[in-house]
Amino acid sequence: FGRYTKTGAKAVEDLLLAYMRAPQLFNDTMNGPDRGNQMADILDEARYELNFLFKMQDQDGGVFARVVSEKFPDDFTDPADDHAPLIVMPKETTSTSAFAGVMATAAIAYAPLDKAFADRCLKAAENAWKWLAEHPELIFVKNPEGYNAGVYLDDQDTDGRFFAAMALYAAKGDTSYLQEAKKLYEADASVAQGLSWNTNGGYGTWLYLTSADGESDDKSLYEALKKDLDAQAEAVLNMVHGNGYGMSLNAYNWGSNYQTANNGMLLFMHYDLTDRQDSLAAAFEQLSYLLGQNALNMCFVTGFGTYSPTSIHNRLALAKNVLLQGALVGGPDGAREDEMTMALPFDTPEAKVYVDSYRSYSTNETAIYYNSPLLALLTFLRQCKA
């Protein structure tokens, strides 16, 4: 019903980083449609979305924001039965930078296994970067009046440009990209932060700090980014230590579980680079929160634990009358942004503003970019030194 470049890129980036960090944990026997092709099934899954992203790139290198219909259909509509016209929304610098970053990362991941595909990804990333260079101003696109389909607006593109430049540097070893990233960082250090769809500079930081020649190519930048990562981790650790359930947020917003998983990734990255055991322990705490160590005593992943969601907001699941196994729901949302949460008692604590109903789209929706950081966090923790 809605196909979004930025959220799709975030989901793929998480899958690729999980595989790149621990390829030994993935195999070709997950019983998916591509099993037996001598490539890990996680890369087959990532490739499915990458092939969609290829379609979103225009001939000039720019990347369209999203493909949506004017209205979302009924909750029980099977996607195959939705015949509403699809509208391609214009190119953005935000969508183009996210595309460039994930395509350059894909070039690294697939190079040892499928050079032709890796080369195609790298070429797409380079073309996207050229378009960004030709469009230095921020471009983001709102939906036309009357449209209620998803938007995913992002009013900043410098973090995405930083991610793209660092990913291209990591893929090619070309220090001209490193210098572009450095210029962005020196102008605003916040561009190097974030592991979400709309704040994604942290991916560039990770790719640089784990690259073969990053430290030798620019030692001062390497040390500065590592110091910044320390500061980010300390801020998250302070929230973890101040929360009775060990989770890392100071507020419960839409997609709080997704944000928790992202913070778990950040904490592991910090541990991986510094061997800080408190960061590793806190990363485990984020996973524990998602799996049941929370105010609701609920595992937020469907099909697991004593209590887990049974009525998710997912049109395919509703149309087929099935419960998707292994899906992470959005989690508590203190802003009460649907009729089900608004009906809860006024004194309900934010941590409990959650309803296990498909009608609670703000707390019980599933999404690929919710599941992707959960998968990455699980992968990181499975192969850590602890």
Side-chain angles (χ1 to χ4, degrees):
F1 305 105
R3 296 143 183 145
Y4 310 98
T5 295
K6 286 172 283 198
T7 52
K10 187 280 192 283
V12 173
E13 187 70 15
D14 291 340
L15 298 188
L16 295 176
L17 293 188
Y19 173 80
M20 291 162 64
R21 185 60 186 78
Q24 74 279 6
L25 295 180
F26 298 97
N27 56 43
D28 189 26
T29 60
M30 291 293 289
N31 204 34
D34 299 302
R35 65 187 180 279
N37 64 352
Q38 308 305 308
M39 182 173 290
D41 289 331
I42 189 173
L43 293 182
D44 292 325
E45 186 70 16
R47 187 168 181 155
Y48 188 90
E49 184 74 7
L50 288 166
N51 283 332
F52 160 71
L53 291 174
F54 281 132
K55 298 177 183 179
M56 297 297 283
Q57 186 172 38
D58 201 0
Q59 293 182 354
D60 63 1
V63 180
F64 297 107
R66 54 196 173 275
V67 178
V68 295
S69 53
E70 184 176 359
K71 310 282 185 187
F72 282 126
D74 179 83
D75 287 340
F76 288 82
T77 300
D78 190 316
D81 296 329
D82 178 37
H83 302 294
L86 293 172
I87 309 299
V88 180
M89 294 298 174
K91 290 169 281 191
E92 300 177 319
T93 53
T94 51
S95 57
T96 303
S97 59
F99 173 97
V102 75
M103 284 294 174
T105 307
I108 300 170
Y110 288 91
L113 304 165
D114 187 339
K115 188 175 184 304
F117 184 73
D119 288 346
R120 182 185 179 196
C121 292
L122 186 57
K123 184 65 175 176
E126 291 173 321
N127 288 340
W129 180 259
K130 290 176 183 176
W131 189 87
L132 288 170
E134 294 166 359
H135 297 82
E137 73 287 358
L138 170 68
I139 302 173
F140 65 97
V141 180
K142 297 181 179 180
N143 279 345
E145 186 175 350
Y147 276 66
N148 71 355
V151 184
Y152 290 102
L153 282 183
D154 183 3
D155 59 3
Q156 178 177 321
D157 66 6
T158 49
D159 55 319
R161 291 174 186 265
F162 177 86
F163 168 34
M166 283 302 198
L168 279 161
Y169 161 75
K172 299 188 66 177
D174 184 342
T175 56
S176 67
Y177 293 110
L178 181 58
Q179 292 308 307
E180 290 298 322
K182 186 174 183 177
K183 290 177 187 176
L184 291 163
Y185 177 72
E186 289 178 341
D188 178 5
S190 70
V191 301
Q193 301 176 13
L195 298 170
S196 63
W197 65 265
N198 58 336
T199 308
N200 54 13
Y203 290 116
T205 295
W206 173 251
L207 289 168
Y208 174 60
L209 293 179
T210 57
S211 64
D213 300 316
E215 186 171 11
S216 59
D217 279 342
D218 195 323
K219 186 173 179 59
S220 64
L221 179 60
Y222 182 92
E223 294 298 332
L225 286 172
K226 194 172 180 180
K227 183 178 180 180
D228 277 1
L229 183 62
D230 280 334
Q232 294 171 56
E234 289 291 353
V236 176
L237 285 168
N238 286 337
M239 289 187 284
V240 172
H241 296 153
N243 184 284
Y245 294 98
M247 69 97 71
S248 57
L249 303 179
N250 57 13
Y252 293 82
N253 301 314
W254 190 315
S256 59
N257 285 343
Y258 148 76
Q259 298 164 35
T260 300
N262 286 342
N263 280 346
M265 287 179 61
L266 173 68
L267 288 164
F268 176 84
M269 290 173 174
H270 185 243
Y271 156 76
D272 208 31
L273 290 166
T274 65
D275 203 32
R276 280 273 299 270
Q277 296 298 310
D278 54 346
S279 286
L280 176 60
F284 271 106
E285 289 292 291
Q286 304 322 294
L287 182 59
S288 294
Y289 171 86
L290 297 174
L291 298 183
Q293 181 183 281
N294 52 64
L296 294 161
N297 295 317
M298 171 175 278
C299 174
F300 288 117
V301 182
T302 57
F304 292 87
T306 305
Y307 304 105
S308 60
T310 60
S311 178
I312 60 176
H313 184 82
N314 181 292
R315 285 174 174 80
L316 181 60
L318 292 169
K320 300 294 187 183
N321 193 28
V322 298
L323 178 64
L324 300 177
Q325 296 288 307
L328 178 66
V329 299
D333 177 12
R336 299 172 179 250
E337 297 179 81
D338 60 57
E339 62 181 15
M340 299 300 290
T341 52
M342 284 189 284
L344 291 172
F346 74 93
D347 58 349
T348 302
E350 279 196 26
K352 293 186 176 183
V353 178
Y354 166 84
V355 182
D356 183 14
S357 168
Y358 74 87
R359 294 167 61 193
S360 183
Y361 46 83
S362 72
T363 70
N364 224 31
E365 185 175 19
T366 62
I368 58 172
Y369 71 97
Y370 290 0
N371 257 63
S372 60
L374 172 63
L375 175 63
L377 179 57
L378 285 164
T379 302
F380 292 161
L381 295 179
R382 279 187 64 195
Q383 55 75 61
C384 71
K385 302 171 188 175

